[in-house]
Every structure is written in C-alpha cells, then in structure tokens.
Amino acid sequence: MTAPGPHVPRIVAAGDAALVVEFDERIDPSVNARAIALAEAIQSASLDGVRDVVPAYRSVAVYFDPLRIDFDALVQRVEQAALMPRTAPAAARAPIRVPVCYGGALGPDLASVAAFAHVSEQDVIRIHSAGTYRVFMLGFVPGFAYMGVVDASIAMPRHATPRVRVPAGSVAIAGVQTGIYPADTPGGWQLIGRTPVKPFDPRRAEPFLMQAGDAVQFYAIGREEFDQWPSA
Amino acid sequence: MAIRVVKPGMLTTVQDAGRWGYQARGVPVAGPMDLVSHRAANALVGNDRAAATLEVTLLGPELEFESERVVAVTGADFDLAVDGKPARINAPFLVASGSHLQFLKRKKGTRAYLAVSGGVTTPIVLGSRATHLVSAMGGHEGRALRAGDRLPLGPPHVNASSAHAMDAPVVPLPEGTVTLRVLRGPQADYFAADALDVLQSAPYVVGANSDRMGFRLAGPRLTHSRGADIISDATPLGVLQVPASGLPILLMADRQTAGGYPKIATVISADMSAAGQLGPGDTIAFVACTPREAMAALIAQERALMAIDA
C-alpha cells in the first residue's frame, strides 16, 4: 500500500484478484479525468495477466489473474503509470448530441421536476438541454452512463420507491446526475423524456454510444420526429 | 450437431469463463458461479477452458443429443441417466445419437456443469458466450433454457477419452456450515473497528432472495463508521458489500460492474467456487486469512485442475 499524498493515489487490494487505485474522495471532473487517464495508461501498457481495467468516479479497478501476475509487481507498474507525466490528452471527442422528446407520456416525471424547481416544464427542458454533461463512468447495466453535473435548480432526488420497469431510452435525472436507460429495467430516477437513439446495441459496429470522459449534450425533438427516427 | 432441450430444469444457462474486458462500459462479467467445476467438466471431455458449458441449478434438465458426444458432469452431485441407464458424475461418458441425458435426484450442492466435447457454440456477444440474465445478453437468446430450444455444438474432439475421471470433486460441496476465507477490504476503514471480528463471530445464512447476482446474508449486523454510501466504484467477484441494514451481500457472477455501498472484505478466489455451490438456507462461516494463504490455496486448486488432463 502507498501512503496517500497530495498527488499520489492510494492503492488498495480488493481481494486477491483486483486492486483499486483511489484518487481524492469527491465527484469532480478533474479527479475523474485523472482516473480515466490512469485507466488508459494501464490499458495501453497491455500488462500480461491484467483482465480488465475499470475507471469509476474517483478510482480505477484493475482486475488481474494472480497466477499470471504478482500483486506487488502489478502495484509497481500501476504506480509507474500513475506517476508518468501526463502526455497531452488525445484530442477530446466532439460532444455527443442526443435527441430527446421531453415530457408527455415519454417523460412522465417532467411535471413533478418542474414543480420541484418552481419553473415551467419548458424551463426544465431549456435548463436540461443547455448543459454539457460529462460521462463520469458507466455501470448499472451495459451502456448506462452516469452523467453530470445537472443544474442545481432541477436536481430533483430519485423516487423513494423505484419503478418496476423503466422503458429503454428514458432520459432521467437523479440529483445532479442525468442518464439514459439503455434497456427496460427497474429504476428510481425522474423520467423527463425519451431518446430514440440506443446507448447500447450489441448488433451495432460500435455497440456503445459513450465512454467515460465523453461530453454529452441533449436537444429537444417533437413527438413526430421521435416516432419517425430511423432505428439504426 | 445440436442438443435439444426436452425439459429445461429450474435455471439452466450457457456459461463460459465470462465476458471480461467490457466492465468499463457497464457490462457485467457473468460466467459460471462455480468456475472450477466448469473448468473440470471441460477438461474431462478434452475441451479447452474457453469452451461453453451448461450451468444447471437445483433441478436438472433432460436433453436429447442429435449426434453422438462425449460429455461430463461436475459440480453439484446429481444422479444421472442416459436413456434410463445410470451414468457417472465427475467422469467422461458417451451419449449416443438420439439418446436422452437426464438429471435426476440432486444429493448435494446447488449447481452442476455439463460439458460436451466440442462445446456449446451459441453466438459470441462481446467476446463471450456467457449468459447474463438481467441484461438478456449472451447464451441462448440471453435467457435460461426452455423446452424446445436447440443448442449448437462445435466439432467434437477425437482425443476426448484421454482425460482421467476425477478421484474426488475439486470443489467441496456444502455440508453443514461452509467456511469461506476473506481478505480485508477494499473499504474496511468505512466500518467500526470490530466489524471484521463481528463478521467472523457467527455464521450467516444465505437468504431466499439470492441469485446469480448475489447472496443476501442474514447474521450479525456490521456497523458502518462513515455512513453506508460511498462514491460508486468497482464491485469485484466475492466482495461483501454492506448496505445501511448492516447485513452483507456477497456479490456473485452476475453482479453489476459498480456499486455505492462500502465493502468490508472479499472472499478469496480459491473459495469462490465453493461459494457458487451454495443456495438459499445454506450457512457460511467467514474467516479472515492472509494474501499468502489465499495464493497457496489458489495454487493448490490449479494443481488439482491440471491433474485432470495430465
């Protein structure tokens, strides 16, 4: 284990086949960027015995086969990667623009978010679609991106009791987080609209719409455009 | 070249070594609950370890073979029959074209693995054939088998009969309380100083609402020291996450890739296959161990597996 310092992340074992590199304990784009950069550095080192590298909000998990790589040796390699001067970040991908049909049957919680914020439904749409959101991490189900930061005025907490079934494509808010449900699943977030694009489609050449670190913008479309959206 | 499902059993799924490499995109690993028995079954029929097997749960299936195959069943101790005649568990045997393989009475354990020479060759999704039930991914149409399903098979091996039968199963089947060894962390510092002792103070019972995602455990409650929420991070196999109730959940093959509860300890890799043989009502005694013991146990298990194809 490494003593935590101002710029040295803490490395902890998570059992005998995974380790976690922890950065500052807060949800913050700059902390998240460090985690993603480290994940990329470890990934590109293609270390023998490393099975998966998984960045999260403020940490990176490295899954390994303990019969193929020794824990201490892996810690050393990860520390080297963490201390390496950051190469100029690859040209940031252009923001991903996501069409959303807000409100009505497709966004059953838009009215309550408006009531929560003491503004009109149109204001909620304007505020939600004005932001550029960062994909902090993916999780929950394949292709689900945890995005933020949602404007505090419309940051309504999740439902106390989750819905049994949230339809795929639902665009939702939970506090300062926003996300798109890639599949029909249970879920407790506030549903403000629905997108016709699929965050995850295993039959697509690129199955995932997003990766950690991406920027995302939402824009409003009408019901007719939603219904006629070409399903790729 | 296929298997036809006559009766599906309670929960029979296609599994391979798991869907590694996509957790950063939120894709769970899935794979066998008892990886060691899955590997042993493959070794007994001469398959390489990447081949897909069928994971059988509690109540086994009846399967019709459309071509002659060498097969082997490992893991949970089932009585087996081919066209009504008894067949042996933990050893390769031949099923003739048109014959029916039946899983009969289960005597011990929860999950059995059926390997077929050539492997089950359902479509590969993101590098794996493993079924993940919640996201309906992999396996046969992303779900548990149903009557009438046809499962494609790969070309059989000619040297399948060279493998040895196992003297004893590599994975111990539950009898009374099962001991699972744990390593402290990754978030032991989110708990009261005595929490790791409390975890080891009395057995935990696997709850009825336990499944391939995780086992909900009833037993001594663990006290958080810094609240029950963390900033979400990765959830490895075998980790014990503890929500506000103080009752741990042991995360299993179909776990989500990340979670927001503190994790007090992690079951060692060498004991996870024994954990995979547990079902509702079984009891677990957690015992802390050292990384050195964890490694020694894993090496011993690997040696036992290698002896099968020796």
Side-chain angles (χ1 to χ4, degrees):
Chain A
M1 282 197 206
T2 313
H7 291 292
V8 182
R10 191 172 82 123
I11 299 179
V12 294
D16 57 13
L19 61 77
V20 182
V21 187
E22 296 179 338
F23 294 90
D24 297 351
E25 194 167 0
R26 55 197 162 96
I27 296 180
D28 177 296
S30 70
V31 174
N32 183 242
R34 290 189 68 197
I36 292 168
L38 177 64
E40 283 169 359
I42 298 168
Q43 193 75 265
S44 61
S46 300
L47 301 176
D48 188 45
V50 169
R51 319 175 76 178
D52 221 341
V53 182
V54 187
Y57 279 105
R58 43 94 37 165
S59 63
V60 180
V62 181
Y63 292 86
F64 61 96
D65 179 350
L67 294 171
R68 287 175 62 195
I69 186 163
D70 174 68
F71 178 81
D72 294 329
L74 181 58
V75 166
Q76 270 190 8
R77 299 299 298 267
V78 168
E79 280 174 346
Q80 283 166 12
L83 293 173
M84 251 179 350
R86 285 271 297 281
T87 48
R93 297 213 289 171
I96 298 165
R97 288 178 50 76
V98 176
V100 183
C101 180
Y102 285 98
L106 303 183
D109 296 329
L110 182 64
S112 38
V113 174
F116 167 86
H118 305 293
V119 297
S120 69
E121 293 187 13
Q122 278 311 312
D123 288 334
V124 175
I125 294 169
R126 186 179 49 74
I127 294 166
H128 185 258
S129 57
T132 297
Y133 301 99
R134 175 181 183 82
V135 175
F136 282 95
M137 63 180 284
L138 287 86
F140 174 49
V141 291
F144 184 91
Y146 290 89
M147 293 178 266
V149 180
V150 170
D151 190 276
S153 65
I154 59 166
M156 186 172 177
R158 70 193 76 198
H159 292 280
T161 307
R163 286 183 170 89
V164 175
R165 182 182 161 276
V166 172
S170 293
V171 174
I173 286 175
V176 294
Q177 304 176 99
T178 185
I180 308 167
Y181 285 85
D184 292 353
T185 54
W189 291 25
Q190 305 289 343
L191 312 183
I192 59 171
R194 206 177 298 174
T195 179
V197 302
K198 293 185 172 129
F200 172 63
D201 182 353
R203 284 156 303 195
R204 217 160 43 199
E206 172 49 68
F208 302 95
L209 185 62
M210 296 163 190
Q211 65 183 33
D214 278 345
V216 176
Q217 293 167 343
F218 297 96
Y219 65 98
I221 58 170
R223 181 62 198 249
E224 200 174 328
E225 200 178 347
F226 176 89
D227 288 334
Q228 289 168 5
W229 199 269
S231 55
Chain B
M1 297 230 292
I3 294 175
R4 195 175 64 82
V5 178
V6 181
K7 290 180 191 162
M10 193 177 122
L11 180 74
T12 305
T13 58
V14 177
Q15 297 296 344
D16 66 9
R19 190 167 283 106
W20 288 95
Y22 294 93
Q23 289 184 90
R25 304 299 188 107
V27 180
V29 177
M33 292 283 275
D34 171 354
L35 177 66
V36 169
S37 293
H38 157 89
R39 280 181 58 193
N42 271 331
L44 287 171
V45 301
N47 286 347
D48 74 39
R49 65 168 79 174
T53 65
L54 296 185
E55 180 179 279
V56 165
T57 316
L58 291 174
L59 195 67
E62 178 178 340
L63 306 165
E64 182 184 83
F65 282 67
E66 294 183 359
S67 66
E68 178 183 280
R69 290 291 163 139
V70 172
V71 308
V73 177
T74 60
D77 190 5
F78 276 90
D79 285 337
L80 304 171
V82 178
D83 297 333
K85 288 189 283 288
R88 232 186 109 190
I89 198 157
N90 295 326
F93 59 91
L94 194 69
V95 181
S97 173
S99 285
H100 285 221
L101 170 63
Q102 271 181 293
F103 284 72
L104 302 169
K105 186 176 160 39
R106 180 183 54 90
K107 290 169 289 187
K108 219 192 287 182
T110 299
R111 294 170 186 87
Y113 294 84
L114 167 67
V116 179
S117 173
V120 175
T121 52
T122 46
I124 293 175
V125 180
L126 301 178
S128 167
R129 296 187 166 99
T131 308
H132 187 255
L133 293 166
V134 172
S135 55
M137 187 185 291
H140 183 78
E141 298 176 359
R143 58 168 171 79
L145 300 184
R146 293 178 193 151
D149 288 343
R150 274 180 93 249
L151 301 173
L153 302 174
H157 307 293
V158 283
N159 61 346
S161 58
S162 68
H164 298 286
M166 292 152 64
D167 299 329
V170 180
V171 176
L173 297 175
E175 231 171 338
T177 297
V178 171
T179 298
L180 298 179
R181 289 165 284 186
V182 298
L183 293 167
R184 189 177 182 274
Q187 279 117 21
D189 49 345
Y190 275 72
F191 293 87
D194 67 345
L196 202 62
D197 295 330
V198 174
L199 179 73
Q200 301 172 74
S201 64
Y204 285 84
V205 181
V206 177
N209 49 352
S210 294
D211 56 20
R212 282 184 44 88
M213 286 183 78
F215 296 165
R216 288 169 184 277
L217 304 177
R221 287 177 194 268
L222 307 172
T223 308
H224 296 91
S225 60
R226 299 166 59 189
D229 291 303
I230 60 164
I231 298 173
S232 286
D233 74 352
T235 42
L237 178 69
V239 90
L240 285 163
Q241 70 171 23
V242 186
S245 68
L247 292 174
I249 301 170
L250 175 59
L251 296 188
M252 300 299 294
D254 277 3
R255 70 201 176 278
Q256 294 179 10
T257 56
Y261 298 119
K263 301 173 280 288
I264 186 167
T266 311
V267 175
I268 66 172
S269 296
D271 285 352
M272 278 312 294
S273 286
Q277 286 299 341
L278 300 175
D282 286 331
T283 52
I284 301 172
F286 292 107
V287 175
C289 78
T290 64
R292 187 180 290 267
E293 288 171 83
M295 195 65 202
L298 192 61
I299 290 168
Q301 194 171 64
E302 194 67 19
R303 286 222 173 94
L305 272 169
M306 276 157 44
I308 298 169
D309 355 56

